Amino acid sequence: MRITIFGTGYVGLVTGTCLAEVGNHVVCVDVDADKVACLQEGKVPFFEPGLEALILRNVAEGRLRFTTSAAEGVEHGHFQFIAVGTPSAADGAADLRHVLAVAESIAEHMEQAKVVVNKSTVPVGTADRVRERISDVLERRGADVEFDVVSNPEFLKEGGAVDDFMKPDRVIVGTGCRESAEKLRQLYAPFNRNHDRLIVMDVRSAELTKYAANAMLATKISFMNELANIADRVDADIERVRIGIGADPRIGYDFIYPGAGYGGSCFPKDVKALVRTAQDVDYMAQLLQAVEDVNERQQRYLYSCIQAHFGAGLAGLTFALWGLAFKPNTEDMREAPSRRLIESLWVAGASVRAFDPKAAGEARRIYGERSDLVVCAKPELALRGADALIIITEWNVFRSPDFQSMRTLLKQPVIFDGRNLYEPRAVAALGFTYYSVGRPRRARAES
């Protein structure tokens, strides 16, 4: 099939590449000429495991190409995928300017029937607005061209997006047109061979499904962090609680890990947008607002532990920080808990020595060169001369460190673990003062 993808960000590039991998001919359109030039040379603008090899292979075999020309993209594809960003506006609503601009570009250039597929994460009713925008432009042109607008939300996890696309849990298709549903079924047939994963529903339900999925996962995270804060105050161990409740198949173990709060490009934005959607229809989504409020508070948790340990005078101290990305297997620092922590430490007059396996370049891009931030090439280098270690991203490389070497490199044997990577008593027995999330505070080094 001939497919056009508007947007070469995370969703668009993964979608286009994976569709090309199964034999389709894909053109990806982006307004950023520098990004397009890099992609044409096989340079991927972000880290995602397995993606670069797929891009290189499909470009070499002629199934995948990149352009800045909207006209070329519209002419190429029967399917026109919209996969551009929908950042949060100041009021929490999703900013649809890019989505509607793409809809207008499609309408300006279309001469044949198209299926417009909205892959961007958008509020309920967006398909109606896209349809209206396309109709308005076609009417202005005096053109009579058939089209349909379909909702096909993405469910890709950063760090596992290629596998998620190639082996999906479900493929949601929102449309009221039987012909469009059948076309999408054919398009996704290569990913649907083991059993039928394609779920067809009305457009508005499909749009809400995406927000509902992310809001549910965010709710589980905030719920566990709420429980962890209770456990902390009643001298219980949240890790034991997690295992106890996860054994119930109605609950399960996924997304019930307490920590330093959620971040990234999806959960914060989508929870805010769903709260705003509720407000727009005169409904107060109290639970969703609480999810957001708990996460705001949880992102300050480690800093409060640091203040409690060192007192108000953090000026002149240096902290080793393991982890910058909002989660492992990505370089993405959007809304990352690390950013709030780093910036709080700077306000207090402290310095940071940070290590992350993938996000070092992103940290330099965000913060530039400054004397109170050293981005290190190895985790051990971050420890040198630091007054304490803070762990905020659960990369595998941090799970089994050399604790004796760590004690030698740190000025003080203090660990603030925002991901509960270590066993408190074992670390305390090695001479560390160890702070974690929702576990007994008696895990202190014996002097």
Side-chain angles (χ1 to χ4, degrees), residues 39 72 86 108 144 158 187 234 238 275 305-306 313 319 336 373 375 407 411 428-429:
L39 286 166
E72 179 184 348
T86 53
E108 289 282 4
D144 183 15
E158 292 195 41
L187 178 65
V234 299
I238 194 62
V275 169
C305 291
I306 293 166
F319 292 91
L373 174 65
V375 181
R407 281 205 65 181
K411 283 183 182 178

Side-chain angles (χ1 to χ4, degrees), residues 199-268:
I199 304 170
V200 180
M201 59 183 71
D202 63 278
V203 173
R204 285 178 169 247
S205 295
E207 290 171 332
L208 183 56
T209 296
K210 169 60 179 179
Y211 276 131
N214 279 353
M216 174 62 78
L217 297 175
T219 299
K220 293 182 75 173
I221 294 170
S222 281
F223 178 74
M224 284 306 294
N225 283 330
E226 193 85 298
L227 285 181
N229 291 326
I230 296 171
D232 198 42
R233 288 159 174 77
V234 299
D235 204 31
D237 188 337
I238 194 62
E239 287 300 307
R240 302 291 183 264
V241 175
R242 179 184 66 80
I243 293 169
I245 66 174
D248 186 332
R250 296 171 300 174
I251 299 173
Y253 290 106
D254 291 337
F255 282 83
I256 61 169
Y257 289 87
Y262 60 74
S265 63
C266 295
F267 288 4

Side-chain angles (χ1 to χ4, degrees), residues 88-133:
S88 290
D91 61 358
D95 185 343
L96 297 178
R97 283 178 298 170
H98 303 307
V99 170
L100 296 175
V102 171
E104 192 163 329
S105 293
I106 293 170
E108 289 282 4
H109 299 290
M110 63 191 287
E111 302 291 346
Q112 298 175 322
K114 305 289 182 184
V115 177
V116 179
V117 183
N118 193 8
K119 203 77 173 168
S120 299
T121 300
V122 295
V124 175
T126 299
D128 294 338
R129 295 182 63 182
V130 169
R131 187 186 308 277
E132 182 180 350
R133 182 65 61 91

Side-chain angles (χ1 to χ4, degrees), residues 3-18:
I3 301 160
T4 297
I5 311 286
F6 279 88
T8 59
Y10 189 83
V11 173
L13 193 54
V14 172
T15 298
T17 303
C18 290

Side-chain angles (χ1 to χ4, degrees), residues 70-395:
E72 179 184 348
V74 175
E75 181 183 7
H76 170 82
H78 177 65
F79 294 97
Q80 301 280 311
F81 277 77
I82 302 176
V84 293
T86 53
S88 290
D91 61 358
D95 185 343
L96 297 178
R97 283 178 298 170
H98 303 307
V99 170
L100 296 175
V102 171
E104 192 163 329
S105 293
I106 293 170
E108 289 282 4
H109 299 290
M110 63 191 287
E111 302 291 346
Q112 298 175 322
K114 305 289 182 184
V115 177
V116 179
V117 183
N118 193 8
K119 203 77 173 168
S120 299
T121 300
V122 295
V124 175
T126 299
D128 294 338
R129 295 182 63 182
V130 169
R131 187 186 308 277
E132 182 180 350
R133 182 65 61 91
I134 293 174
S135 296
D136 287 347
V137 175
L138 289 176
E139 183 178 353
R140 189 176 71 232
R141 287 177 54 203
D144 183 15
V145 184
E146 289 187 4
F147 72 95
D148 190 26
V149 179
V150 175
S151 175
N152 176 219
E154 56 85 15
F155 298 95
L156 306 178
K157 298 187 298 292
E158 292 195 41
V162 172
D163 282 345
D164 284 345
F165 198 99
M166 301 300 287
K167 303 172 184 176
D169 297 317
R170 75 284 206 198
V171 178
I172 301 295
V173 173
T175 180
C177 174
R178 186 173 298 177
E179 183 180 354
S180 293
E182 185 55 35
K183 288 179 178 179
L184 268 292
R185 187 177 296 279
Q186 292 174 18
L187 178 65
Y188 281 105
F191 313 98
N192 207 26
R193 293 176 64 82
N194 182 266
H195 63 275
D196 190 7
R197 299 178 175 89
L198 193 128
I199 304 170
V200 180
M201 59 183 71
D202 63 278
V203 173
R204 285 178 169 247
S205 295
E207 290 171 332
L208 183 56
T209 296
K210 169 60 179 179
Y211 276 131
N214 279 353
M216 174 62 78
L217 297 175
T219 299
K220 293 182 75 173
I221 294 170
S222 281
F223 178 74
M224 284 306 294
N225 283 330
E226 193 85 298
L227 285 181
N229 291 326
I230 296 171
D232 198 42
R233 288 159 174 77
V234 299
D235 204 31
D237 188 337
I238 194 62
E239 287 300 307
R240 302 291 183 264
V241 175
R242 179 184 66 80
I243 293 169
I245 66 174
D248 186 332
R250 296 171 300 174
I251 299 173
Y253 290 106
D254 291 337
F255 282 83
I256 61 169
Y257 289 87
Y262 60 74
S265 63
C266 295
F267 288 4
K269 172 177 70 71
D270 293 352
V271 172
K272 286 183 174 71
L274 191 50
V275 169
R276 177 65 192 201
T277 295
Q279 291 172 349
D280 288 343
V281 292
D282 297 321
Y283 181 75
M284 181 60 67
Q286 292 176 296
L287 177 58
L288 294 177
Q289 187 61 62
V291 168
E292 187 178 359
D293 292 343
V294 168
N295 194 62
E296 277 288 307
R297 184 178 63 198
Q298 199 66 18
Q299 288 202 357
R300 297 192 294 269
Y301 174 79
L302 283 181
Y303 184 71
S304 67
C305 291
I306 293 166
Q307 282 187 311
H309 179 87
F310 287 103
L314 300 181
L317 297 181
T318 299
F319 292 91
L321 180 66
W322 281 2
L324 291 164
F326 84 94
K327 60 179 280 188
N329 295 319
T330 182
E331 63 185 1
D332 195 345
M333 289 180 63
R334 286 173 288 183
E335 302 284 339
S338 65
R339 295 180 64 172
R340 171 167 290 182
L341 177 60
I342 289 170
E343 291 160 16
S344 296
L345 291 171
W346 285 340
V347 169
S351 297
V352 175
R353 296 176 60 84
F355 169 78
D356 189 285
K358 293 297 178 183
E362 182 67 0
R364 293 189 183 99
R365 184 192 69 79
I366 293 169
Y367 293 120
E369 295 297 326
R370 45 187 299 159
S371 60
D372 50 9
L373 174 65
V374 178
V375 181
C376 301
K378 295 181 179 180
E380 306 83 44
L381 296 178
L383 298 173
R384 286 184 180 173
D387 292 280
L389 167 64
I390 308 166
I391 302 170
I392 206 161
T393 313
E394 64 276 30
W395 287 94

